[in-house]
Amino acid sequence: MANPWFESVAVARARAKKRLPRSVYSAIVAGAEAGVSASENISAFDQLGLRPITAGQTTGAPLDTTIMGQASSMPVMISPTGVQAVHPDGEVAVARATAARGVPMGLSSFGSKPIEDVVAANPQTFFQIYWADDRDSMSARMERAKAAGAVGLIVTLDWSFSHGRDWGSPSIPEKIDFKVALEHAPDVLTRPRWLLSWAKQRRLPDLGVPNFPTGGAPVPGFFEAYGAWMGTPPPTWDDIAGLASEWNGPFMVKGIGRGDEAKRAVDAGATAISVSNHGGNNIDSSPAPIRVLPEVVAAVGDQCQVMMDGGIRRGSDVVKALALGAEAVMLGRAYLWGLAVNGQGGVENVLDVIRGGIDATMRGLGKSSLDELSPDDVVIPHDFFPPAT
Ligand SMILES: Cc1cc2nc3c(=O)[nH]c(=O)nc-3n(C[C@H](O)[C@H](O)[C@H](O)COP(=O)(O)O)c2cc1C
């Protein structure tokens, strides 16, 4: 096999595009509707400049920090994603990679591997749930996560109900049996290396979500679980407070994009927030998280740990987010590209790329500690931030 190492997330993405069936690739790359937010998440970072120094650069800064009570080798963690047949080892490969690199991970309740297997590979796992199904089954999911050893809960509130995508959603089967495999043959057969990775494990990809069922029910397919989420009335802040007190441990509300909501999340018991628009999968045109990050930080101060996710593709993006007030960031698509290209090794590669980029940027800015970063290190266009709520 050619050298699987890649030097940037962009290279990993290009290779993933070649390797994955078109339907799988486009399900990952996609954002809601016109994809305005999905691309804005990235272009907003491009609009921010950095102010390097020349003589007097440092030899780097220690990058280790604490994320939701967990020691982390850098201010980066893995954001939960419902992995869509990217690699047969799925979240277990991600867990091994993050454990090897000393960073925590979030596991989606729509992920493809049981939480017990993921925690066994990385004990620094946070479990992510949606407000889906009846309240008893949410409790059962939390109990199972606790029993498995999850060290925190992430509740994601920003998935949107908008379906139509201008580029046309791929057709994704619920399960791949022989008949479906034949139907999808034109898409899949052009991707022999991807097919081979599944064939080696003597199985076909399926979209089962093993962390969703409760009470001994069979593992539902992704769309069945999605339907359960769609059919559940959205929670109130009192509901979220109930969830936080029931969990009674590190508790992140993911998806906040406004200062007033950040305060409510803290009042409800959040110990962490991720400023996020679900990677451009909330209602389209919701602002890039980096644009609303300072508003959220100003609203909650140090009452909870403020993180952000959306559009992080390089270490300098992480430094920009930290300079604007985030304590850490979460990676989404970036690690999925690495996973697609080279399984565990690909995720490690992505984490190394990000780490290398943070280190280079810290040196260039002349910093010897993450605490030294401030908005003064960033060149910010005058109309970059929207008016605060
Ligand atoms: C394919 C895909 C699946 C996702 N599934 C989930 C999920 O199950 N739970 C969740 O909280 N967020 C999910 N997200 C959102 C990510 O956790 C994260 O917020 C987003 O990907 C960050 O943006 P980025 O991809 O630009 O880094 C998903 C994102 C993608 C691209």
Side-chain angles (χ1 to χ4, degrees):
M1 171 163 103
N3 181 359
W5 183 83
F6 45 83
E7 63 187 302
S8 70
V9 170
V11 173
R13 175 180 162 170
R15 289 204 199 148
K17 187 175 184 183
K18 279 195 192 148
R19 190 181 171 101
L20 292 172
R22 200 161 41 90
S23 53
V24 178
Y25 175 79
S26 49
I28 297 173
V29 84
E33 299 189 340
V36 171
S37 296
S39 27
E40 230 271 299
N41 286 356
I42 295 171
S43 59
F45 275 107
D46 295 342
Q47 287 173 30
L48 293 173
L50 288 165
R51 296 181 190 275
I53 62 159
T54 48
Q57 287 187 355
T58 60
T59 52
L63 300 184
D64 55 301
T65 187
T66 302
I67 299 178
M68 288 175 72
Q70 298 299 308
S72 182
S73 66
M74 60 176 166
V76 175
M77 66 169 264
I78 292 293
S79 208
T81 57
V83 171
Q84 308 176 357
V86 173
H87 189 278
D89 294 338
E91 295 84 352
V92 171
V94 179
R96 290 186 186 129
T98 47
R101 294 299 184 264
V103 301
M105 71 174 276
L107 170 69
S108 170
S109 52
F110 283 6
S112 64
K113 297 289 179 192
I115 180 151
E116 293 77 10
D117 297 358
V118 173
V119 174
N122 185 353
Q124 294 189 302
T125 297
F126 307 118
F127 185 58
Q128 176 265 325
I129 61 169
Y130 289 109
W131 189 263
D133 233 343
D134 59 55
R135 191 60 182 77
D136 286 347
S137 52
M138 291 179 219
S139 294
R141 264 171 228 130
M142 286 194 284
E143 266 169 43
R144 176 175 165 191
K146 266 239 156 95
V151 288
L153 191 76
I154 299 172
V155 56
T156 300
L157 298 181
D158 67 344
W159 209 9
S160 89
F161 290 86
S162 61
H163 302 294
R165 288 164 161 163
D166 290 4
W167 45 273
S169 296
S171 121
I172 301 175
E174 180 79 348
K175 252 200 164 70
I176 301 191
D177 54 20
F178 187 65
K179 182 169 163 276
V180 173
L182 275 181
E183 277 165 22
H184 283 255
D187 186 19
V188 168
L189 289 179
T190 53
R191 297 293 187 267
R193 281 179 300 169
W194 177 83
L195 206 54
L196 191 67
S197 66
W198 293 89
K200 277 186 191 154
Q201 298 204 359
R202 294 179 193 287
R203 62 194 186 91
L204 287 165
D206 73 74
L207 292 183
V209 286
N211 298 306
F212 198 76
T214 55
V219 172
F222 173 82
F223 290 105
E224 198 181 318
Y226 179 79
W229 168 77
M230 285 275 293
T232 310
T236 63
W237 283 110
D238 284 345
D239 292 328
I240 299 303
L243 215 57
S245 92
E246 187 177 335
W247 177 260
N248 195 22
F251 184 89
M252 171 188 281
V253 175
K254 176 170 178 282
I256 297 284
R258 309 162 41 133
D260 56 350
E261 284 227 304
K263 285 187 192 152
R264 303 194 79 161
V266 168
D267 291 345
T271 61
I273 282 173
S274 193
V275 183
S276 174
N277 61 20
H278 214 106
N281 281 300
N282 197 333
I283 48 175
D284 204 15
S285 297
S286 39
I290 189 71
R291 291 188 192 272
V292 286
L293 171 67
E295 173 185 333
V296 169
V297 172
V300 298
D302 55 8
Q303 294 176 81
C304 82
Q305 196 166 31
V306 178
M307 309 186 31
M308 64 85 56
D309 67 83
I312 303 280
R313 299 293 182 271
R314 54 192 82 249
S316 58
D317 295 339
V318 180
V319 173
K320 288 172 183 174
L322 264 52
L324 295 185
E327 286 190 51
V329 304
M330 306 208 289
L331 301 180
R333 292 178 183 84
Y335 80 89
L336 291 176
W337 305 139
L339 179 66
V341 171
N342 192 25
Q344 176 185 346
V347 178
E348 290 172 1
N349 196 156
V350 165
L351 292 171
D352 294 345
V353 164
I354 298 289
R355 186 182 187 89
I358 301 175
D359 182 58
T361 311
M362 292 296 283
R363 287 168 185 249
L365 292 174
K367 305 292 174 188
S368 47
S369 151
L370 293 173
D371 296 336
E372 292 173 15
L373 290 169
S374 81
D376 292 343
D377 297 309
V378 185
V379 184
I380 306 169
H382 69 92
D383 57 353
F384 188 78
F385 301 118
T389 50

